[in-house]
Amino acid sequence: MAEPPATKVYHDGCPGCAMEQRKEEHKGIPYREFLFVAITTLASSLPISSLFPFLYFMVLDPFSSLEQIRDLHVARTEEDIGFYAGFLGASYMIGRGFASILWGMVADRIGRKPVIIFSIFAVIVLNTLFGLSVKYWMAVTTRFLLGALNGLLAPIKAYSIEVCRAEHQPLGLSIVSTAWGIGLVVGPATGGYLAQPVKQYPHIFHEKSIFGRFPYLLPCLCISLFALLVLLSCIWLPETLHKHKGLEVGVETAEASTTQESAESHQKSLFRNWPLMSSIVTYCVFSLHDTAYSEIFSLWTVSDRKYGGLSFSSKDVGQVLAVAGASLLVYQLFIYGWVDKILGPIHSTRISAALSVPIIAAYPFMTHLSGIRLGVALYSAAMIKSVLAITIITGTSLLQNKAVPQGQRGAANGIATTAMSLFKAIAPAGAGVIFSWAQKRQHVAFFPGK
């Protein structure tokens, strides 16, 4: 005879148990919690790539013969920009790589909410300081600290799984991926439209104003103000971690009969969890690819056509990325659910990875286009690339979080974030060096630029 289902026991004062009760009573989609997930993720991701459109101009030397805005007094020739820009772009990921596992463990110990709140506060302070940077070392330092003190990514992924029922977990993680992806698109758009406001909007901003002194403060300040609003909204953010009195570890469910089994599962080493490790490896490889793409796309589009670029302005780059972000939102809201339901996370990830190769390979040939043909090709490729990227990120994140119990989700996501950050730290530096090297070899026999 089959055993009756175990009776769930909820503990008074435990936020995890309160969340479990709420999910039992309300079986629909938790829209309010998902909204919190979306805006906190967006606020955390906006600063990461907001500097890409103006990074090209930011590192030029003021004493070179070039006519662009020069601020950090580093690169003396246009061909050297990629080198210095790459290391500035990598500093955030290096900082995040050092601290992500720690933040994941803290989130498993004290809860998701405190880590999320502190991370948003770090964004407000350090992103503003980056906009006030007048020296290369100051810019690198603030970006490094921003990466080290912004530990949101690991707990927010665990949180998106824990605020909803099992049938809504793909949607929860897709919201994280979508908000993160939109942030990585809207961030550059913000940087492109608002950087150098005195130059772009001379009828609004005076050259003797603070934005004339700090030409990249405006986009950073706007992002910080948005993060401040998000920080205030976190007051209503519910905690999800189980905190039972007398237990040293959280439990995956509130069932009394499974407490011992859950505790034993926490003793298993995450590094011996092969489903988790395999999904992290895939996640890291793609992160390397995607970050290199983001770095090179902006540098390539603003480069002069004589160097194989498109001679775009930072505003043009921001417009392309904004359209790609809009397509991403439509895809996640109306299409991704069907993709996950039909293909599942594994097959959707494989197919998206395979399709990314021809899309990336098509970009160099766009330098031979102009006018409407260039616009159609570039915008189409950017939108398709964004859709494929978010499919891969969501699929691998879903596999990671399903491979571990609740008490290990923060640490598991911390390991994934640390490994991913190291790959993302290598990506802009390596991509910037290769990009600079390629621009200096436009007419040679080995890997000519054109």
Side-chain angles (χ1 to χ4, degrees), residues 119-239:
S119 298
I120 298 299
F121 178 75
V123 169
I124 297 172
V125 175
L126 293 167
N127 187 62
T128 303
L129 291 177
F130 175 74
L132 295 171
S133 299
V134 294
K135 297 292 184 180
Y136 184 74
W137 66 264
M138 181 177 178
V140 171
T141 301
T142 53
R143 292 287 294 180
F144 174 84
L145 291 176
L146 178 59
L149 299 180
N150 181 3
L152 181 134
L153 187 57
I156 202 65
K157 286 184 177 180
Y159 187 84
S160 68
I161 288 283
E162 294 160 3
V163 294
C164 62
R165 297 170 63 87
E167 60 266 27
H168 301 136
Q169 289 179 356
L171 176 60
L173 269 175
S174 72
I175 289 175
V176 175
S177 301
T178 300
W180 195 265
I182 290 176
L184 297 183
V185 172
V186 175
T190 303
Y193 280 105
L194 300 182
Q196 304 174 4
V198 173
K199 181 181 179 181
Q200 294 197 74
Y201 313 106
H203 57 289
I204 300 178
F205 298 93
H206 195 273
E207 61 180 3
K208 293 185 179 180
S209 66
I210 187 173
F211 300 113
R213 177 69 179 86
F214 304 101
Y216 309 110
L217 175 61
L218 183 58
C220 295
L221 192 60
C222 289
I223 292 173
S224 296
L225 289 175
F226 174 72
L228 177 61
L229 295 177
V230 172
L231 181 65
L232 296 177
S233 72
C234 286
I235 296 174
W236 295 277
L237 195 70
E239 181 58 71

Side-chain angles (χ1 to χ4, degrees), residues 90-100 143-149 421 425:
S91 57
Y92 176 93
M93 294 302 167
I94 294 173
R96 192 168 72 176
F98 276 115
S100 292
R143 292 287 294 180
F144 174 84
L145 291 176
L146 178 59
L149 299 180
S421 298

Side-chain angles (χ1 to χ4, degrees), residues 170 174 331-332 334-341 348 390-391 394-395:
S174 72
Y331 171 76
Q332 284 296 116
F334 302 105
I335 301 175
Y336 177 75
W338 292 97
V339 172
D340 181 76
K341 185 176 181 180
S348 61
I390 209 66
T391 302
T394 303

Side-chain angles (χ1 to χ4, degrees), residues 299-437:
L299 292 176
W300 170 66
T301 50
V302 300
S303 295
D304 195 279
R305 281 189 175 267
K306 67 181 179 180
Y307 295 111
L310 297 180
S311 297
F312 276 18
S313 67
S314 58
K315 184 186 294 186
D316 295 329
V317 180
Q319 184 170 315
V320 174
L321 296 176
V323 172
S327 67
L328 190 66
L329 181 61
V330 173
Y331 171 76
Q332 284 296 116
L333 290 177
F334 302 105
I335 301 175
Y336 177 75
W338 292 97
V339 172
D340 181 76
K341 185 176 181 180
I342 296 172
L343 298 176
I346 295 178
H347 292 300
S348 61
T349 298
R350 289 173 177 171
I351 294 172
S352 298
L355 293 177
S356 297
V357 176
I359 294 297
I360 297 297
Y363 277 103
F365 299 99
M366 295 182 191
T367 56
H368 302 290
L369 303 176
S370 60
I372 296 178
R373 292 189 299 171
L374 173 61
V376 171
L378 185 61
Y379 278 85
S380 298
M383 288 188 291
I384 295 173
K385 176 64 178 66
S386 296
V387 165
L388 296 176
I390 209 66
T391 302
I392 297 172
I393 292 172
T394 303
T396 53
S397 296
L398 190 60
L399 292 172
Q400 291 166 21
N401 282 274
K402 285 190 173 183
V404 294
Q406 187 198 43
Q408 289 184 315
R409 281 190 187 135
N413 283 299
I415 293 173
T417 303
T418 293
M420 174 265 289
S421 298
L422 295 177
F423 276 74
K424 283 194 170 187
I426 296 172
V433 170
I434 294 174
F435 182 75
S436 179
W437 175 81

